[in-house]
Amino acid sequence: MNWEPWSGCYMISDGCSHCYFYGPHAKRYGQNTITKTDKFDWPIRKKANGEYNIKGDKILATCFATDFFLPEADEWRKEVWAMIKQRQDIDFLILTKRIDRFMESLPDDWEDGYDNVNIGCTVETQAIADYRLPLFLSYPMKRKFISCSPMLEAIDLTPYLDGVDHVTVSGESGKEARECNYDWILSIREQCVKANVTFWFKSTGTFFKRDGVVEKINPFKQTTLAKTLNINILDGKKLF
Ligand code: SF4
């Protein structure tokens, strides 16, 4: 289940070049103006009988079609933190390419983190990993995961896996997507095995290279093929 309290975004990183939502050729949302959505207060909205619209024991993927730490959302985020705190019965999964805005974006009572918030730091290349992950690991948060998405080259996460709960990897999607090499995916998996961290190969992306051959994968088959390769190590963990 997704919750998008605001929409709009703009590029910040190598992985944004072909952003499905806001890249140069995005048709679907194709705008960079950051605006509140009509779902802004969705987690705390109630029905006539006083019950919440969203039942508890759910995972809410939050801002997966924008970025939670956009500066344009600084004022709105204060209200969003309050809603997140109010719904302790929901796990909020927050994925960002702007982890360097984390400390200035926290509520006053954050301390070492809210129990129901799981923060995901996206890294697409080694240079980005080497910039973002030391920051990410230094910040106070109770639950954290790394998302290599879209994975654009081989990445060594070994120095950064201590204290991380989980790693997710995906190739890039779209007509102009950059190639994803299965060897990179297997290498991350191996790093996760050694560090005892769970691992999920979420999607092959459009151009998937395996055994030296690049195959074009239909958008509807990218997650299925990743799953079929049967390399996930989830230990019963359910992230999404
Ligand atoms: S941060 Fe995410 S949503 Fe924003 S432009 Fe980049 S890929 Fe798209």
Side-chain angles (χ1 to χ4, degrees):
M1 199 182 253
N2 281 56
W3 175 38
E4 305 296 332
W6 47 83
S7 72
C9 197
Y10 48 86
M11 297 189 201
I12 185 82
S13 186
D14 291 349
C16 299
S17 306
H18 304 127
C19 171
Y20 181 68
F21 295 102
Y22 308 109
H25 309 297
K27 300 271 190 305
R28 189 161 163 193
Y29 293 92
Q31 46 85 15
N32 307 114
T33 310
I34 321 301
T35 49
K36 263 187 186 181
T37 66
D38 58 4
K39 289 277 184 75
F40 182 75
D41 62 348
W42 194 43
I44 57 161
R45 223 179 273 171
K46 291 185 174 170
K47 300 189 244 185
N49 65 5
E51 286 176 11
Y52 284 119
N53 263 316
I54 309 178
K55 291 201 170 109
D57 290 328
K58 291 260 183 327
I59 297 172
L60 264 196
T62 304
C63 288
F64 272 43
T66 173
D67 196 309
F68 189 79
F69 293 107
L70 279 167
E72 290 77 0
D74 281 354
E75 282 308 308
W76 306 331
R77 196 179 309 100
K78 291 173 188 165
E79 287 177 70
V80 164
W81 282 128
M83 292 184 235
I84 288 174
K85 191 171 179 194
Q86 187 175 327
R87 291 304 307 266
Q88 289 294 321
D89 54 340
I90 291 177
D91 269 350
F92 292 86
L93 211 62
I94 295 170
L95 187 60
T96 184
K97 286 186 169 66
R98 292 171 171 84
I99 197 67
D100 50 3
R101 299 207 67 247
F102 181 78
M103 290 308 284
E104 62 190 294
S105 305
L106 292 177
D108 292 340
D109 61 356
W110 178 261
E111 296 179 355
D112 58 347
Y114 294 167
D115 290 338
N116 60 335
V117 174
N118 197 346
I119 306 273
C121 180
T122 301
V123 300
E124 310 103 281
T125 63
Q126 188 69 50
I128 290 173
D130 292 340
Y131 168 65
R132 287 188 193 146
L133 294 178
L135 295 173
F136 179 55
L137 296 177
S138 74
Y139 296 151
M141 53 185 84
K142 290 201 172 141
R143 298 158 63 194
K144 55 183 86 160
F145 68 101
I146 296 171
S147 172
C148 300
S149 178
M151 196 169 180
L152 299 178
E153 62 183 22
I155 302 177
D156 182 10
L157 293 178
T158 312
Y160 310 119
L161 290 175
D162 193 21
V164 167
D165 301 312
H166 177 80
V167 176
T168 295
V169 291
S170 295
E172 188 170 44
S173 291
K175 282 186 191 147
E176 296 170 77
R178 289 154 286 186
E179 193 175 292
C180 174
N181 190 324
Y182 192 40
D183 290 345
W184 307 340
I185 308 289
L186 292 175
S187 166
I188 296 282
R189 182 185 192 273
E190 193 56 34
Q191 294 164 37
C192 289
V193 168
K194 285 190 181 136
N196 202 21
V197 169
T198 54
F199 165 88
W200 182 29
F201 182 25
K202 187 172 174 225
S203 167
T204 59
T206 302
F207 298 102
F208 185 48
K209 185 172 185 177
R210 218 172 7 147
D211 300 328
V213 178
V214 180
E215 197 182 342
K216 186 174 181 188
I217 315 289
N218 178 302
F220 300 105
K221 296 192 176 157
Q222 293 168 17
T223 50
T224 317
L225 176 55
K227 191 174 177 189
T228 309
L229 289 166
N230 201 21
I231 59 169
N232 294 335
I233 311 167
L234 292 173
D235 292 340
K237 200 176 278 183
K238 190 168 176 287
L239 258 188
F240 299 94

